[in-house]
Amino acid sequence: MIVNSKEMLEKAKKEKYAVPHFNINNLEWTRYILETCEEMRSPVILGVSEGATKYIGGFNTVVGIIKGLVKDLNITIPVCIHVDHGSSVETCIKAIDAGYTSVMIDASKYSLEENIKMTTEVVEYAKEKNVTVEAEIGHIGGTEDEIDSDIAYAKVNDVIELVSKTNVDSIAPALGSVHGLYKGEPKLDFERMKTISEKVNIPLVLHGGTGIYDDLIKKAISCGVCKININTELQIVWTEAVRKFLLDNSEVFDPRKIIGAGKEAMKNKIKEKITLFGSSNKY
Ligand code: 13P
């Protein structure tokens, strides 16, 4: 069932677990994620970055792949098709027009006023089409789509202003997490996370889920995080398995066997995350 993120995140907030957001890169990954989430009865948000969208073919191709798989594989859990880090209002509009059910407008690199302006434009367009919107404030550090950036912790008053002025559905305040691998220990500001969650009362999103220790993930969920984004960890386990397979099987040239060699490793990692986030058997 393809849905927006509203009901699944509200349920997660109420029942204190987190919905997994897994980034997709191709048809096979999408299939492994959907099959595993169906097995575990977990809702799922399929996050597609602008880079991944271009790689796959475009917004319509992404929607076509997901809709086709949901139908052919009889997927019955709630599935959300989500733009990860949409960098402009135009990107979000194109995705909504193609059938995405949720978008993230990431105007975090602009001033608060500009962030509010861009987020409001997206919310106004999205609301009419029953599409949910996530915004970002402060700056999540690390590397994504080969772009590096530093962490800037979100200020509580800025988050309150952005949420109240834009009516956004969920918010990703930068609180110390990074995309990709951590250099040193993750330094999440849980006090601020809790304060923000109490003040804004909408689902909080934790980006940069890779490399955050399990006990910190649980603490984040207890502080109001309802959606956790995972990308790098899936890339690592898939690549390790495929690399080993190729080294051990130099005679194989069937791409289905090569890509499929990463399937079990990915499925195991997805199961591990769903169990940690507490999102299994919710549907
Ligand atoms: P990781 O790359 O740390 O898994 O984070 C993914 C993410 O936050 C996508 O928006």
Side-chain angles (χ1 to χ4, degrees):
M1 191 182 25
I2 293 176
V3 295
N4 67 27
S5 66
K6 193 151 192 73
E7 194 268 341
M8 64 167 85
L9 291 184
E10 274 170 6
K11 180 168 155 69
K13 183 165 161 55
K14 203 154 76 197
E15 297 178 22
K16 289 213 171 297
Y17 61 91
V19 175
H21 155 133
F22 294 116
N23 283 81
I24 60 166
N25 287 292
N26 57 21
L27 178 136
E28 288 85 349
W29 281 43
T30 312
R31 176 172 185 166
Y32 307 153
I33 294 166
L34 286 174
E35 283 175 344
T36 315
C37 291
E38 179 75 14
E39 252 175 68
M40 302 279 288
R41 307 298 315 156
S42 167
V44 67
I45 295 175
L46 298 172
V48 205
S49 68
E50 290 184 5
T53 303
K54 276 197 201 117
Y55 172 80
I56 292 170
F59 295 111
N60 294 294
T61 318
V62 169
V63 171
I65 285 175
I66 297 172
K67 284 196 170 161
L69 286 171
V70 164
K71 195 164 180 197
D72 287 342
L73 302 174
N74 297 318
I75 301 293
T76 56
I77 42 127
V79 176
C80 174
I81 312 176
H82 176 74
V83 173
D84 191 23
H85 295 283
S87 63
S88 67
V89 176
E90 293 69 40
T91 294
C92 293
I93 288 177
K94 273 191 198 151
I96 293 168
D97 288 348
Y100 280 58
T101 54
S102 177
V103 293
M104 173 186 190
I105 173 70
D106 179 359
S108 60
K109 67 178 177 197
Y110 300 107
S111 65
L112 178 63
E113 291 65 39
E114 187 61 19
N115 192 344
I116 290 173
K117 183 172 167 283
M118 287 169 69
T119 304
T120 304
E121 277 180 53
V122 174
V123 170
E124 279 171 2
Y125 193 83
K127 284 267 145 82
E128 275 183 21
K129 318 254 171 174
N130 198 25
V131 167
T132 39
V133 182
E134 173 184 330
E136 177 175 324
I137 185 158
H139 206 75
I140 293 154
T143 310
E144 191 171 52
D145 272 350
E146 295 173 359
I147 298 165
D148 289 328
S149 52
D150 293 327
I151 305 174
Y153 287 73
K155 297 192 182 81
V156 177
N157 285 340
D158 290 356
V159 184
I160 296 171
E161 191 176 339
L162 181 108
V163 170
S164 65
K165 286 190 171 161
T166 61
N167 231 344
V168 76
D169 300 285
S170 61
I171 181 81
L175 293 169
S177 61
V178 304
H179 292 121
L181 297 173
Y182 285 80
K183 296 182 184 111
E185 301 234 331
K187 291 194 184 66
L188 297 180
D189 187 340
F190 290 108
E191 272 310 304
R192 211 184 294 199
M193 197 181 278
K194 199 156 182 276
T195 307
I196 290 173
S197 175
E198 283 164 4
K199 300 241 182 214
V200 298
N201 204 23
I202 61 170
L204 299 190
V205 177
L206 180 64
H207 280 249
T210 296
I212 300 180
Y213 310 132
D214 290 2
D215 55 331
L216 300 185
I217 290 280
K218 288 201 172 126
K219 199 163 169 191
I221 295 171
S222 76
C223 291
V225 163
C226 310
K227 167 178 181 275
I228 302 178
N229 294 14
I230 301 283
N231 182 23
T232 307
E233 248 175 296
L234 293 186
Q235 297 187 343
I236 291 172
V237 294
W238 180 84
T239 303
E240 278 173 357
V242 171
R243 185 173 288 129
K244 182 174 185 319
F245 176 80
L246 285 170
L247 288 171
D248 293 347
N249 298 275
S250 56
E251 76 294 350
V252 175
F253 49 79
D254 182 339
R256 293 169 297 186
K257 290 195 176 139
I258 297 169
I259 297 170
K263 177 177 172 176
E264 278 316 303
M266 263 187 77
K267 291 190 87 168
N268 289 338
K269 184 55 77 180
I270 294 164
K271 282 185 194 160
E272 186 189 305
K273 293 297 166 193
I274 289 174
T275 305
L276 175 62
F277 297 173
S279 66
S280 63
N281 293 317
K282 294 298 177 186
Y283 287 89

